[in-house]
Amino acid sequence: MPGALVPPAKVLRRLGVAIRGMEEPAVEKISEDTREDPFQVLIATMLSAQTRDAVTHEASLRLFRRARTPRTMGALRVATIQKLIYPVSFYRNKARHVKDACRQIVERFAGVVPGRMEDLLTLPGVGRKTANLVLILSHASRENICVDTHVHRIANRLGWVRTRTPDQTEQALYAAVPRRFWPTVNLYLVTWGQNVCRPIYPRCRACVVSSLCPRIGVTQEGRER
Ligand code: SF4
């Protein structure tokens, strides 16, 4: 039965130890470097969709060197934002969303990134993944789980959930994962997904939870390094 194959707490405890010393996800780095600034976390997360972490990090830094507030970033031309964030995926759309989101933060929220899910979701280009990460990293929420493609894939491989979309996975994980782990599920599984449980050729033989994992849907494993 999905959700009962592997005890999530046991897996997450092991992963929490195993990821120490591994490269952190780009948005976590931005969050630490900016003292959890909600605006920079929001923008970096918007840029991160379907983009490699190193590219997201560099693009975010280039953009923040030019502007670090909704007011100053919203005053940039879309073409300038495009140039600064290239080569993130969908940089044209993302540049437009960034500019529109800045304008709305200024006009509707007095220049402050809102701290409620329902408000964040009204911003252009902001979906549940971005909203959840902003709430967890910048508003210290313990009520949210942020699900991106890594979390979606690994939760299904582990058999915690059997879902088709990240939004379905998020809802299923609230039932499957003990509450105390909700804010860290993203950090643990994204780091694991980037280093070990990769989309293709996961490194199962080097995985600290291989004895607990049913490897659902895994057809080919990668080589140990
Ligand atoms: S054993 Fe393989 S499929 Fe399971 S979590 Fe580890 S790397 Fe992923």
Side-chain angles (χ1 to χ4, degrees):
M1 192 179 79
L5 292 172
V6 183
K10 194 168 180 181
V11 171
L12 288 166
R13 270 198 303 273
R14 279 196 199 178
L15 294 185
V17 174
I19 64 166
R20 285 179 201 157
M22 286 182 175
E23 182 94 1
E24 284 190 320
V27 179
E28 297 275 344
K29 280 189 209 156
I30 298 275
S31 175
E32 281 174 19
D33 293 346
T34 63
R35 298 188 183 177
E36 292 97 29
D37 175 56
F39 178 65
Q40 291 180 71
V41 169
L42 172 75
I43 299 298
T45 310
M46 288 171 73
L47 299 188
S48 72
Q50 296 183 53
T51 299
R52 283 191 306 110
D53 245 35
V55 173
T56 299
H57 194 237
E58 288 302 315
S60 302
L61 295 184
R62 279 195 301 276
L63 184 56
F64 298 149
R65 273 196 287 272
R66 182 68 79 87
R68 285 187 198 174
T69 68
R71 246 172 253 285
T72 54
M73 198 175 287
L76 296 176
R77 293 173 34 182
V78 172
T80 304
I81 300 173
Q82 280 182 13
K83 208 168 156 189
L84 288 166
I85 67 175
Y86 180 85
V88 300
S89 307
F90 310 111
Y91 65 96
R92 289 192 182 89
N93 279 345
K94 286 179 182 174
R96 205 160 16 83
H97 284 151
V98 164
K99 176 151 176 114
D100 289 347
C102 288
R103 188 172 49 77
Q104 295 204 20
I105 292 168
V106 170
E107 290 175 3
R108 295 171 45 222
F109 300 104
V112 177
V113 174
R116 298 191 316 170
M117 171 67 78
E118 55 268 44
D119 292 331
L120 285 164
L121 290 178
T122 66
L123 296 173
V126 175
R128 291 195 64 85
K129 182 194 89 168
T130 299
N132 277 317
L133 204 53
V134 170
L135 292 172
I136 291 166
L137 295 180
S138 297
H139 295 284
S141 170
R142 306 196 65 78
E143 303 296 318
N144 299 77
I145 297 176
C146 174
V147 175
D148 72 343
T149 56
H150 292 292
V151 176
H152 175 60
R153 179 183 71 253
I154 299 174
N156 273 280
R157 283 178 174 172
L158 285 161
W160 294 348
V161 300
R162 193 164 295 171
T163 50
R164 288 167 179 270
T165 67
D167 282 357
Q168 289 173 359
T169 299
E170 182 196 339
Q171 298 312 319
L173 284 178
Y174 289 123
V177 171
R179 209 178 177 83
R180 66 183 182 282
F181 289 106
W182 289 4
T184 47
V185 166
N186 185 270
L187 171 63
Y188 291 5
L189 295 193
V190 172
T191 307
W192 207 242
Q194 288 173 343
N195 290 279
V196 181
C197 192
R198 302 174 300 201
I200 50 172
Y201 302 122
R203 299 172 54 223
C204 298
R205 275 168 290 180
C207 180
V208 293
V209 296
S210 61
S211 64
L212 303 170
C213 181
R215 293 168 216 188
I216 293 169
V218 174
T219 51
Q220 281 187 301
E221 297 175 15
R223 284 177 301 165
E224 282 183 61
R225 264 197 305 216

